[in-house]
Amino acid sequence: MAETAVGRFTTGSPMRHVMVMTATGSVGLIAVFAVDLLNLFYISLLGERELAAAVGFAGTVLFLQSSLCIGLSIGAGALVARAIGGGRRAEAARLAGSSLILTALVAAAVGLLTLPLLGPAMDLLGARGATRDLAVGYLTILSPTLPLLGLGMGCSAMLRAQGDARRAMTVTLYAALFTAALNPILIFGLRLDLTGAAVTVVLSRCLLAAVGWHGVARVHRLLAVPGWTGLLTDAGTLAGIAGPAVLTNLATPIAGVYVTTSMARFGDAAIAGAAIVDRMVPVAFGTIFALTGAVGPILAQNLGAGRPDRVRATLRASLVLMVVWVLAVWLGLFLARDLVVSAFSAKGVSADLVRLFCTAVAGGFLFVGFLFVGNAAFNNLGFPLLATGFNWGRATLGTIPFVAVGGWLGGAPGVLIGQAAGSVLFGIAAVLVAFRVTGRLGQSGGGLAPEAVAVPADVPLSGKAAVALAVQVNRP
């Protein structure tokens, strides 16, 4: 009971905690992403290039929307984990309740406001004709259900903050299995094509929110009604950490907008190939996404308990695990490159992009992983500004010139190479700064004062930010 009251991650091996949380998180995430990739495979079997291209264009908007929900869940999870780590259970339950209410309200507003902007957004991205109409129709079905995605992500973050890795895993795992079972029926059995895929996503979001709510409210009873005064107070506290986290997360999809428009200049085949790569990335590197989400509660609980030594040990363990995984996956993709091309019936430019990713570009995720781990440390230690700067630096200076030059010199493959090359500098810098920041935690007497733990975003001289945990339970 004592360990539960204070936080389960404040004792025991940091490497073991990182491995267990990452492994359980990976199952749920990779299941979601594998189903996402499988569904794109289903769509490719329909033999219409416009459908695959529409998925690519719609995915850019969905990534923007989901990044908002991810940022809110990051802030909520960090605050709740910190309260649990400090033994403040009642405060954690109130923060959880306030966070879910605020997440639902913000997501509803964004989802509805997106609807009249869908047409202009597709025009901006370069979608034309039937491809544009398909993408708009798909997004019109999904955008109003954004609050369900936000609630599901928020509840999963609460479960990770509690240390219940298994139940956090089931939130996404059940939704993924449901999608895998229903999508073939609607796409092929009822011949609904992309509309059927959209309906499946709506229903899976309902399940995602329901399973997450049950775990938080019924199993752990980590949910309290905040009241108006508490809600307003918590809104300011959440904004202090979730606001920068949202800004940090939006950097990646906004950079994706530029990449998509650059790729669109080379036609639907290039967009279709990029869509395959986009869905291969989270399947191949889902463990890295899971690691950055899993390490957050471990860092936050040890911060709340005043254990800077364990914070630094957790950061080191995360980096070791990330490097080993990326190198192993890169080798596997290289060996399976021709098989992947054949599986998706990719031809021409589409096949070139898939082979390029498997051969060379996948290795660039070593530096993306550095950035992810650094941002996870920044965000959960309570100072979001540095990571916001790193992500936006990568999204602008690390994307626009590299992609522009790559497209000019090498066409569609050059765009892909340029996108990966821009991550190198910012990934290395993020890790170096993360170690410097964590090294300062124990300098004033070897521990952290309780009042320092309670302030999530305004401590000077450092920055903590967001995990690019792209839990996209929103694609066909």
Side-chain angles (χ1 to χ4, degrees), residues 23 93 120 138 310 323 334 433:
Y138 179 69
R310 292 183 61 82
V323 170
F334 175 77
V433 174

Side-chain angles (χ1 to χ4, degrees), residues 314-405:
T314 299
L315 179 61
R316 287 193 295 270
S318 301
L319 287 170
V320 170
L321 187 59
M322 183 276 296
V323 170
V324 170
W325 183 262
V326 170
L327 293 178
V329 168
W330 186 14
L331 176 61
L333 287 172
F334 175 77
L335 296 175
R337 59 193 183 281
D338 291 331
L339 180 61
V340 173
V341 169
S342 298
F344 286 91
S345 303
K347 297 179 177 62
V349 174
S350 296
D352 292 341
L353 293 178
V354 173
R355 284 197 182 91
L356 177 63
F357 171 74
C358 294
T359 302
V361 173
F365 266 81
L366 186 65
F367 303 99
V368 175
F370 286 160
L371 183 62
F372 282 4
V373 172
N375 284 351
F378 295 151
N379 183 72
N380 286 278
L381 298 179
F383 307 97
L385 296 181
L386 274 182
T388 301
F390 275 120
N391 257 26
W392 277 99
R394 180 198 170 209
T396 53
L397 298 177
T399 297
I400 295 174
F402 288 91
V403 168
V405 173

Side-chain angles (χ1 to χ4, degrees), residues 96-409:
S98 296
S99 297
L100 291 181
I101 292 171
L102 294 167
T103 295
L105 291 174
V106 172
V110 171
L112 293 176
L113 290 174
T114 300
L115 291 175
L117 302 176
L118 292 177
M122 291 301 103
D123 293 336
L124 177 65
L125 291 173
R128 299 290 183 267
T131 299
R132 176 189 185 276
D133 295 340
L134 288 166
V136 170
Y138 179 69
L139 291 168
T140 299
I141 297 173
L142 291 189
S143 288
T145 67
L146 190 61
L148 294 172
L149 181 64
L151 287 174
M153 288 183 174
C155 288
S156 183
M158 305 301 173
L159 292 170
R160 288 194 301 271
Q162 173 65 33
D164 191 348
R166 182 188 63 82
R167 205 172 298 275
M169 172 192 72
T170 62
V171 174
T172 51
L173 181 60
Y174 288 168
L177 294 176
F178 175 84
T179 303
L182 188 59
N183 241 347
I185 297 173
L186 297 185
I187 292 175
F188 297 113
L190 299 182
R191 301 181 183 276
L192 294 178
D193 296 345
L194 203 56
T195 300
V199 172
T200 301
V201 173
V202 170
L203 296 176
S204 72
R205 286 182 176 184
C206 292
L207 182 62
L208 184 82
V211 174
W213 180 275
H214 174 77
V216 173
R218 301 299 183 188
V219 176
H220 290 289
R221 301 194 179 279
L222 188 64
L223 207 58
V225 179
W228 284 110
T229 302
L231 183 64
L232 293 176
T233 301
D234 293 341
T237 305
L238 180 63
I241 188 169
V246 169
L247 289 176
T248 302
N249 271 329
L250 287 177
T252 299
I254 287 177
V257 170
Y258 180 76
V259 173
T260 300
T261 55
S262 299
M263 196 69 79
R265 293 187 291 120
F266 303 102
D268 281 354
I271 290 293
I276 296 172
V277 171
D278 285 345
R279 277 139 182 89
M280 287 174 61
V281 165
V283 175
F285 299 107
T287 295
I288 305 305
F289 297 138
L291 186 152
T292 54
V295 74
I298 305 173
L299 292 167
Q301 282 194 12
N302 283 288
L303 176 68
R307 293 294 306 275
D309 57 321
R310 292 183 61 82
V311 171
R312 291 191 293 274
T314 299
L315 179 61
R316 287 193 295 270
S318 301
L319 287 170
V320 170
L321 187 59
M322 183 276 296
V323 170
V324 170
W325 183 262
V326 170
L327 293 178
V329 168
W330 186 14
L331 176 61
L333 287 172
F334 175 77
L335 296 175
R337 59 193 183 281
D338 291 331
L339 180 61
V340 173
V341 169
S342 298
F344 286 91
S345 303
K347 297 179 177 62
V349 174
S350 296
D352 292 341
L353 293 178
V354 173
R355 284 197 182 91
L356 177 63
F357 171 74
C358 294
T359 302
V361 173
F365 266 81
L366 186 65
F367 303 99
V368 175
F370 286 160
L371 183 62
F372 282 4
V373 172
N375 284 351
F378 295 151
N379 183 72
N380 286 278
L381 298 179
F383 307 97
L385 296 181
L386 274 182
T388 301
F390 275 120
N391 257 26
W392 277 99
R394 180 198 170 209
T396 53
L397 298 177
T399 297
I400 295 174
F402 288 91
V403 168
V405 173
W408 177 56
L409 294 176

